[in-house]
Amino acid sequence: MVESVLDRLGEEVTGIVSPVSLCMALTVALVRLLNPTGDNAGTSVYIASAYYKEQGDDSTAEKITGSIVNAAIFVGVIALMTFVLVLLFKYGYTKAIYAYMALAGFSIFFVLVGIIMLQLLVKFQIPLDAFSFSFMLYNFSVVGVTALFFWPAPILMKQGYLVVTGVVTAYMFTFIPEWSTWVMLIAMALYDLCAVLTPHGPLKVLVELAQERDEDIPALVYEARSTGQPRRLLHNRTHQRQLGQHQTGTSCSAHLDDASCAALHQVTIAQTSNDSPERPGVDGAEGSPPDDRGLATTGGIMRRELAESLQGLPNLLQRQSQDCNH
């Protein structure tokens, strides 16, 4: 049974919606457990309240103005970091990018996850000594950083660590005041659109550079692909097919049917085989004489196939042209 486009599209949508829904559910659960009253602490994410710290008795105009300035500062820092990332990737400083991403990932897994786990231990009154807690948290952090950036870990492990990253980050942002949160979300959405869709957007340039070089982008990107074939392998096969079509100089037009395309492809293969240089002998040594009988037999078969293909090609093209005129 041939897999349809809708089936593949449904699998991709499900692969993205599932982790997003899981992140939302876990974030809501953490908020209900650890911050049920919804207390705001602007200092938890300092950059989100660098200019204005929202107070309950402030006027609406002050909240809107201060939130816009906070969002502008936050987006400006994100844009600056993105441009630095693009420049480092463009000029080949990928080791610096991996070092920074490893440090950021370790900080998330060790510091932020550690804070949340301590709060959960206190909440449920679970006894645990400091040495065991630090040892488990350190191993969890090291394995996470290694799996995400340096080790070809199973895809489920990577997805699990990325879900943890999303949950922790979303939970920390719940401590931002309400007006600043909504204005910041709108500003980040607009920035993402510009960074991805504009011709010289930093994210668009970064993706294009990665595709040209056939390199992975060192970033916390969730992958919903299957474990059957890596993305690099699929890209290499596509590139080889495109390169082969370009070298042969033969392409099927939209006005040709499958039979005509098959005939053209067979002619191209025969021509390429006839034009290919002779290989050395069986032993592979340089200067060894080739087998004349084998070459003669192979050349005769190729010439016969080429002649048969050329004889049938005009009839196919003429019939297809008549069908198009009707």
mmCIF file of all heavy atoms in Angstrom, residues 39-45 49 172 174-177:
data_model
loop_
_atom_site.group_PDB
_atom_site.id
_atom_site.type_symbol
_atom_site.label_atom_id
_atom_site.label_comp_id
_atom_site.label_asym_id
_atom_site.label_seq_id
_atom_site.Cartn_x
_atom_site.Cartn_y
_atom_site.Cartn_z
ATOM 1 N N ASP A 39 1.623 33.838 41.932
ATOM 2 C CA ASP A 39 2.466 34.965 42.326
ATOM 3 C C ASP A 39 3.466 35.272 41.229
ATOM 4 O O ASP A 39 4.044 34.374 40.605
ATOM 5 C CB ASP A 39 3.212 34.640 43.633
ATOM 6 C CG ASP A 39 2.245 34.460 44.794
ATOM 7 O OD1 ASP A 39 1.143 35.043 44.729
ATOM 8 O OD2 ASP A 39 2.587 33.734 45.746
ATOM 9 N N ASN A 40 3.683 36.574 41.003
ATOM 10 C CA ASN A 40 4.631 37.031 40.001
ATOM 11 C C ASN A 40 5.937 37.414 40.667
ATOM 12 O O ASN A 40 5.944 38.025 41.731
ATOM 13 C CB ASN A 40 4.083 38.242 39.225
ATOM 14 C CG ASN A 40 2.827 37.882 38.443
ATOM 15 O OD1 ASN A 40 2.711 36.771 37.947
ATOM 16 N ND2 ASN A 40 1.900 38.822 38.333
ATOM 17 N N ALA A 41 7.016 37.045 40.044
ATOM 18 C CA ALA A 41 8.354 37.417 40.519
ATOM 19 C C ALA A 41 9.157 37.854 39.314
ATOM 20 O O ALA A 41 9.723 37.034 38.592
ATOM 21 C CB ALA A 41 9.028 36.256 41.230
ATOM 22 N N GLY A 42 9.160 39.154 39.067
ATOM 23 C CA GLY A 42 9.828 39.675 37.883
ATOM 24 C C GLY A 42 11.314 39.409 37.869
ATOM 25 O O GLY A 42 11.942 39.359 36.822
ATOM 26 N N THR A 43 11.926 39.204 39.045
ATOM 27 C CA THR A 43 13.365 38.964 39.103
ATOM 28 C C THR A 43 13.740 37.560 38.650
ATOM 29 O O THR A 43 14.917 37.273 38.440
ATOM 30 C CB THR A 43 13.865 39.180 40.538
ATOM 31 O OG1 THR A 43 13.127 38.339 41.428
ATOM 32 C CG2 THR A 43 13.684 40.632 40.955
ATOM 33 N N SER A 44 12.760 36.641 38.515
ATOM 34 C CA SER A 44 13.087 35.284 38.079
ATOM 35 C C SER A 44 13.606 35.269 36.646
ATOM 36 O O SER A 44 14.460 34.458 36.298
ATOM 37 C CB SER A 44 11.854 34.373 38.194
ATOM 38 O OG SER A 44 10.811 34.864 37.376
ATOM 39 N N VAL A 45 13.093 36.149 35.816
ATOM 40 C CA VAL A 45 13.609 36.338 34.455
ATOM 41 C C VAL A 45 13.949 37.815 34.345
ATOM 42 O O VAL A 45 13.118 38.635 33.956
ATOM 43 C CB VAL A 45 12.583 35.911 33.388
ATOM 44 C CG1 VAL A 45 13.189 35.999 31.989
ATOM 45 C CG2 VAL A 45 12.078 34.499 33.646
ATOM 46 N N SER A 49 12.115 41.954 32.670
ATOM 47 C CA SER A 49 11.681 43.143 33.419
ATOM 48 C C SER A 49 12.868 44.055 33.675
ATOM 49 O O SER A 49 13.044 44.590 34.772
ATOM 50 C CB SER A 49 11.040 42.732 34.744
ATOM 51 O OG SER A 49 11.943 41.954 35.508
ATOM 52 N N MET A 172 9.351 28.781 34.056
ATOM 53 C CA MET A 172 10.034 29.970 34.568
ATOM 54 C C MET A 172 9.407 31.247 34.026
ATOM 55 O O MET A 172 9.373 32.274 34.725
ATOM 56 C CB MET A 172 11.520 29.907 34.186
ATOM 57 C CG MET A 172 12.269 28.725 34.786
ATOM 58 S SD MET A 172 12.130 28.620 36.596
ATOM 59 C CE MET A 172 12.942 30.137 37.086
ATOM 60 N N THR A 174 6.318 31.721 33.548
ATOM 61 C CA THR A 174 5.030 31.994 34.203
ATOM 62 C C THR A 174 5.169 32.971 35.365
ATOM 63 O O THR A 174 4.156 33.483 35.850
ATOM 64 C CB THR A 174 4.409 30.689 34.722
ATOM 65 O OG1 THR A 174 5.309 30.052 35.636
ATOM 66 C CG2 THR A 174 4.084 29.754 33.577
ATOM 67 N N PHE A 175 6.382 33.246 35.805
ATOM 68 C CA PHE A 175 6.598 34.207 36.885
ATOM 69 C C PHE A 175 6.697 35.635 36.383
ATOM 70 O O PHE A 175 6.843 36.559 37.182
ATOM 71 C CB PHE A 175 7.874 33.846 37.660
ATOM 72 C CG PHE A 175 7.747 32.589 38.466
ATOM 73 C CD1 PHE A 175 8.175 31.374 37.958
ATOM 74 C CD2 PHE A 175 7.177 32.615 39.736
ATOM 75 C CE1 PHE A 175 8.063 30.215 38.698
ATOM 76 C CE2 PHE A 175 7.053 31.459 40.482
ATOM 77 C CZ PHE A 175 7.491 30.254 39.971
ATOM 78 N N ILE A 176 6.663 35.839 35.063
ATOM 79 C CA ILE A 176 6.659 37.196 34.517
ATOM 80 C C ILE A 176 5.271 37.803 34.703
ATOM 81 O O ILE A 176 4.257 37.109 34.554
ATOM 82 C CB ILE A 176 7.045 37.167 33.027
ATOM 83 C CG1 ILE A 176 8.412 36.508 32.855
ATOM 84 C CG2 ILE A 176 7.061 38.565 32.437
ATOM 85 C CD1 ILE A 176 8.828 36.335 31.414
ATOM 86 N N PRO A 177 5.172 39.084 35.022
ATOM 87 C CA PRO A 177 3.859 39.711 35.175
ATOM 88 C C PRO A 177 2.995 39.580 33.926
ATOM 89 O O PRO A 177 3.492 39.362 32.813
ATOM 90 C CB PRO A 177 4.197 41.178 35.485
ATOM 91 C CG PRO A 177 5.559 41.116 36.100
ATOM 92 C CD PRO A 177 6.262 39.993 35.414
#
